[in-house]
Amino acid sequence: MNNDIFKTVTVEQFKEYFFRDFSFLPLYVEGQTYWNGDVVYYVNNFYKSLIDDNTTSPDNSENWQKVKGNINDYVQDKDIERAMTQALSTANARFGIDNDDKIMIYLHLVAFYLQMDLNTASSGGGFVGITTSKSVGDVSEGYTIPQWVTENPVFSIFTQNGFGLKYLSLILPYISCPILFSRGGTTIG
């Protein structure tokens, strides 16, 4: 099946779908209203709005103040583009009922690769697996991943982060192979 549908997906679609899941670089948008304390990235610098209802450009020093910031603390468009390229190599257009469903599943695959890249970068290139238990003070949390997933050479890679596990849950109906038995007979004597 042809994966061309995935090539139509944009960085903006990804950002809109995962608006709460990643800290995207807060690029300045002309014409948008900003509020006191909002921080934007504009012409290679970060700026903080000094007023409410701010519609001026960050080069207006009365309404904006240049502040310290690091673009590497944010997910940038080029990070998403790289993850999209990686996801294209494993995406399958057979997963999904219609184009919207196929794109939603693909976006989860992109998020998996993006989170994997971010985890790898923050660990200095070392392996970072999924947390199976954690505790803070008297509160602890634990969960496990089914053995059939962790021992499968194809599926186990997706256990490295929550987006991969979500991707697996979305494609499971398409990779399951139901076996049906029915009572039958023969006409041969």
Side-chain angles (χ1 to χ4, degrees):
M1 192 156 256
N2 193 338
N3 284 356
D4 284 346
I5 183 145
F6 304 130
K7 294 177 184 176
T8 67
V9 176
T10 66
V11 169
E12 286 309 311
Q13 278 178 281
F14 182 87
K15 288 179 177 181
E16 287 173 19
Y17 192 85
F18 290 105
F19 68 98
R20 290 180 56 102
D21 301 279
F22 296 97
S23 294
F24 299 114
L25 186 63
L27 298 171
Y28 169 74
V29 177
E30 187 175 346
Q32 182 172 319
T33 300
Y34 294 95
W35 302 99
N36 189 14
D38 284 351
V39 174
V40 297
Y41 186 72
Y42 176 77
V43 190
N44 299 321
N45 288 298
F46 286 91
Y47 294 87
K48 182 169 81 172
S49 177
L50 300 175
I51 62 170
D52 282 334
D53 203 21
N54 189 353
T55 57
T56 64
S57 170
D59 50 17
N60 178 325
S61 60
E62 288 182 28
N63 297 338
W64 294 90
Q65 175 185 6
K66 191 185 294 189
V67 294
K68 183 178 179 180
N70 184 348
I71 63 170
N72 293 325
D73 291 340
Y74 299 93
V75 173
Q76 301 170 51
D77 289 0
K78 63 185 175 182
D79 296 318
I80 300 167
E81 291 165 358
R82 179 173 68 173
M84 286 177 156
T85 301
Q86 294 165 357
L88 273 175
S89 68
T90 57
N92 189 331
R94 291 186 181 109
F95 299 156
I97 296 170
D98 56 22
N99 285 348
D100 290 338
D101 202 33
K102 293 171 192 297
I103 288 172
M104 182 267 302
I105 293 169
Y106 172 71
L107 288 172
H108 281 85
L109 185 59
V110 173
F112 162 72
Y113 281 111
L114 177 60
Q115 187 64 58
M116 192 175 180
D117 289 344
L118 295 172
N119 291 348
T120 301
S122 69
S123 72
F127 174 78
V128 179
I130 194 158
T131 304
T132 57
S133 67
K134 61 183 171 181
S135 61
V136 177
D138 294 337
V139 179
S140 64
E141 175 184 30
Y143 48 91
T144 99
I145 298 164
Q147 190 172 359
W148 68 269
V149 173
T150 59
E151 291 183 357
N152 183 301
V154 175
F155 300 147
S156 63
I157 188 77
F158 297 108
T159 65
Q160 292 185 45
N161 64 53
F163 297 110
L165 291 172
K166 180 73 174 258
Y167 173 74
L168 279 177
S169 77
L170 293 169
I171 67 168
L172 193 58
Y174 303 101
I175 60 176
S176 297
C177 184
I179 299 174
L180 303 173
F181 294 96
S182 63
R183 197 172 185 158
T186 180
T187 58
I188 300 175

